[in-house]
Amino acid sequence: MLEGALLLAALATGDPQAGEAIYPRCAACHALAYDRVGPRHCGVIGRRAGSVAGFEYSPAMKRSKLTWTRENLERFLADPVGTVPGTTMTYAGVPDAKERVDLVAFLANAKCK
Amino acid sequence: MSSFFSIPNPAAARRLFLAQSGLVLSGAAVALLAGRDALAAKSKAGGADDVRILNTALGAELEAIAAYQVGAESGLLQKPVHALAVQFQGHHKEHADVLAKTVQKLGGKPVVAKSKYSFPVEGLKVQADVLRFAASLEQGAVSAYLGAVPLFANRDLSKAAASILGDEAMHWAVLRNALGENPVPSAFVS
């Protein structure tokens, strides 16, 4: 019982170190501190989608009205094109739920300065 | 050896010319550039999505070209490593060219290179820094293409993207090897 609860807790919060090992998959288009083909990731948790100043988003992302809560980001990472049809993040997604939670945990804890 | 000029069929002559001139493109790239009407026709259903996928890839390729330029001009690369960087940059230029032409063929507007890119140049102090930076971009490119391959409506485009993925995986492996790391650390990429 306790073991199950701990597992659920781990899944809920994620492992930032494990997420850091997954983050290089994003490196064709993203960086933490600066915009590239995709927008910067620093400060993404709590940010309104399509709101990094100076970054040219797709109309679909600008219209999405999403705020990047952990849950929304995890949902988007599971299926970017299905979650925001028309996004330029034309990537099939991260299919493993634990990897997604870990990746979000890394992004939430990333040191950006 | 067959003469280029003795072949009456233009398509066969072109293949021979490419084969003999060293301008050997992958089969997928040739298919993309061959001007087959069927390619555009088959893409009509998911054409807009395919164009968007191609344009995202094109944007990343254009950035990679710029990144390799930064590396080549850094003054940090020894001669053979510099030659390798220029060669890899040339591959990215070929990818970008094919992608842009395909976007146009499908009725889209190819994205163009940004006037300015942000790169972590302050962190590039020695050759290994440049190699590590390039390796990170190539690793990311492999993942990006891997994530794009299943999305294309047109399977010819999936094949072409997989062809580019293979090339960028080789870049990544060579760069890892140059850094003294295991060039092929696992049986699968992700």
Side-chain angles (χ1 to χ4, degrees), chain B residues 90-114:
Chain B
H91 292 173
H92 287 289
K93 285 178 178 175
E94 288 188 53
H95 301 163
D97 187 48
V98 166
L99 291 166
K101 284 177 174 160
T102 307
V103 168
Q104 282 179 322
K105 195 173 289 181
L106 295 176
K109 186 180 173 192
V111 296
V112 295
K114 291 181 181 176

Side-chain angles (χ1 to χ4, degrees), chain B residues 67-138:
Chain B
Y68 271 106
Q69 193 64 33
V70 167
E73 292 175 353
S74 67
L76 298 170
L77 302 182
Q78 294 165 6
K79 203 171 176 182
V81 175
H82 184 275
L84 201 64
V86 171
Q87 184 193 6
F88 289 178
Q89 184 192 44
H91 292 173
H92 287 289
K93 285 178 178 175
E94 288 188 53
H95 301 163
D97 187 48
V98 166
L99 291 166
K101 284 177 174 160
T102 307
V103 168
Q104 282 179 322
K105 195 173 289 181
L106 295 176
K109 186 180 173 192
V111 296
V112 295
K114 291 181 181 176
S115 56
K116 188 174 181 296
Y117 288 98
S118 297
F119 295 121
V121 288
E122 66 284 354
L124 305 179
K125 310 278 190 205
V126 295
Q127 176 171 281
D129 296 331
V130 179
L131 290 171
R132 204 164 284 113
F133 172 51
S136 72
L137 294 182
E138 298 287 5

Side-chain angles (χ1 to χ4, degrees), chain B:
Chain B
M1 181 186 277
S2 302
S3 164
F4 173 78
F5 296 101
S6 66
I7 297 178
N9 179 328
R14 181 174 177 276
R15 277 196 298 274
L16 180 66
F17 169 74
L18 287 171
Q20 292 184 355
S21 65
L23 296 171
V24 182
L25 298 169
S26 73
V30 169
L32 280 172
L33 293 173
R36 296 185 328 200
D37 292 341
L39 179 69
K42 277 164 60 181
S43 283
K44 276 181 183 164
D49 290 339
D50 283 353
V51 164
R52 196 162 50 249
I53 300 165
L54 292 166
N55 256 335
T56 297
L58 175 57
E61 293 285 357
L62 293 169
E63 191 189 52
I65 292 165
Y68 271 106
Q69 193 64 33
V70 167
E73 292 175 353
S74 67
L76 298 170
L77 302 182
Q78 294 165 6
K79 203 171 176 182
V81 175
H82 184 275
L84 201 64
V86 171
Q87 184 193 6
F88 289 178
Q89 184 192 44
H91 292 173
H92 287 289
K93 285 178 178 175
E94 288 188 53
H95 301 163
D97 187 48
V98 166
L99 291 166
K101 284 177 174 160
T102 307
V103 168
Q104 282 179 322
K105 195 173 289 181
L106 295 176
K109 186 180 173 192
V111 296
V112 295
K114 291 181 181 176
S115 56
K116 188 174 181 296
Y117 288 98
S118 297
F119 295 121
V121 288
E122 66 284 354
L124 305 179
K125 310 278 190 205
V126 295
Q127 176 171 281
D129 296 331
V130 179
L131 290 171
R132 204 164 284 113
F133 172 51
S136 72
L137 294 182
E138 298 287 5
Q139 180 182 7
V142 168
S143 297
Y145 277 106
L146 191 63
V149 162
L151 297 181
F152 285 107
N154 182 328
R155 287 172 65 85
D156 285 341
L157 296 175
S158 294
K159 183 180 172 187
S163 171
I164 295 175
L165 187 162
D167 177 67
E168 304 201 350
M170 285 191 275
H171 293 177
W172 182 32
V174 169
L175 292 164
R176 283 180 62 91
N177 195 56
L179 282 162
E181 298 172 2
N182 181 348
V184 188
S186 63
F188 301 96
V189 293
S190 55

Side-chain angles (χ1 to χ4, degrees), chain A residues 57-101:
Chain A
Y57 288 94
S58 64
M61 187 59 76
K62 282 191 277 195
R63 285 195 307 263
S64 72
K65 296 182 179 170
L66 283 173
T67 295
W68 295 125
T69 60
R70 283 180 178 241
E71 294 75 19
N72 281 341
L73 191 52
E74 196 269 334
R75 187 162 60 94
F76 179 70
L77 287 171
D79 180 11
V81 175
T83 308
V84 182
T87 178
T88 51
M89 185 163 151
T90 48
Y91 182 71
V94 181
D96 186 293
K98 183 173 185 316
E99 286 190 343
R100 289 195 303 273
V101 173

